[in-house]
Amino acid sequence: VIEQLSILAKDDLPFPPKVEDFFLPAIYPWGEANAPWVTKFTVLIWLAVAILIVLFLVAYRKPKLVPTRGQWLAESFYGFTRNNIGKDIIGPEGVRFAPYLTALFAFILLTNLFGIIPGIQISPMSHIAFPAFLALISYAIYNYQGIKRHGLLKYLKLQTMPPAPKVLYPLLVPIEFFSNLIIRPFTLALRLFANMFAGHIILLVFTLSGFALLASDNFFIKAMSPFAWVMAVVLTLFEVMVAALQAYVFVLLTAVYVQTSLAEDH
Amino acid sequence: MAGDQKPPPRRGEPTSTAWTALGYLLAGMAVWGFAGWLVDRWLGTGGIAIGIGIVLGSAGGIFLVMKRFGA
């Protein structure tokens, strides 16, 4: 069996998957072999933006009382975000933020789903840059809204004064400050990035290990490969759930942060 | 805002509550652990200050979670 394993190892399958698998080559007409400017990720981002613009424009171009299928899809998506995230978390004012929350939700959901759509099969969100920039936008929005509502000093005071006796302030104020004003965008970005990155790695592991097992000369090892592929299918379905859940959590937390920025008593 | 009844939005949202609570615990340990590390480098206490910092920080984090989300 040891010999069999060593035969597997010398095979030229790209197994086990590596971080380098996430750095795809540039798309030809625009550059040299590894020029980072136009890659599959760039194209996928453009594609996602285009799909969403077209979907929402077409859906609302001629709105009907009895909605068509596209209009129904766009309306229920917007309605869900507006009522179940915007209004429920932020309150009546939440309607103001509904366009941003909806765009954010739709964009993250679609790009996450790219990770399991056949032929695309990788999500741009598995590169930290994209979640990081979205988190930055959310960070700017909730801080701006808080400062606009309360003024800078009062906003900082609201964000850092803990509900505790004054004796504990030296211990708790740094924690509040760090937790509310520094750690939030990082956790927001990291959570989404780590989930999409790990999801892609897991799918690679099971799909490629199926081929690696099949490349064995030993019949019993060969016979194991269908199980790896069954796992790959099961985990692909699992990734659908992760894609939706992570998009939802990102938007939900953005709404919570906006709410805490606007609230009088934190 | 004046006249607004305070709705209990965060009670209805266990997901966001959980993440906020986790944020406090992590922030507590990170901030005071870092402070402990600085003190440790300054006084050369061989790691004791880091330990004290992390314990203090997690105590503070747990305290904040209890105050914010406790009954």
Side-chain angles (χ1 to χ4, degrees), chain B residues 11-64:
Chain B
R11 291 221 179 256
E13 277 303 339
T15 324
S16 59
T17 307
W19 286 115
T20 316
L22 185 67
Y24 275 129
L25 300 180
L26 285 180
M29 289 199 276
V31 170
W32 287 104
F34 181 67
W37 179 75
L38 288 179
V39 171
D40 192 56
R41 281 184 56 111
W42 177 37
L43 298 175
T45 49
I48 295 172
I50 302 180
I52 294 175
I54 290 182
V55 171
L56 263 184
S58 34
I62 292 168
F63 182 81
L64 279 176

Side-chain angles (χ1 to χ4, degrees), chain A residues 88-89 149 161-164 168 170-172 174-176 178-180 183 191 248-249 252-253 256 259-260 264-266, chain B residues 1 4 6-7 9-10 13 15-16 19-20 23-24 26-28 30-32 56-57 59-61 63-64 67-68:
Chain A
D88 275 6
I89 302 282
R149 168 69 48 89
M161 288 296 129
L168 290 173
L171 177 71
L172 298 182
I175 299 180
E176 284 273 9
F178 197 70
S179 148
N180 291 347
I183 225 176
R191 184 179 309 114
Y248 178 67
V249 166
L252 182 72
L253 285 174
V256 169
Q259 190 269 334
T260 47
E264 278 302 323
D265 60 346
H266 190 95
Chain B
M1 288 195 300
D4 257 8
K6 190 176 182 282
R10 288 198 244 154
E13 277 303 339
T15 324
S16 59
W19 286 115
T20 316
Y24 275 129
L26 285 180
V31 170
W32 287 104
L56 263 184
F63 182 81
L64 279 176
K67 274 285 174 192
R68 288 246 187 273

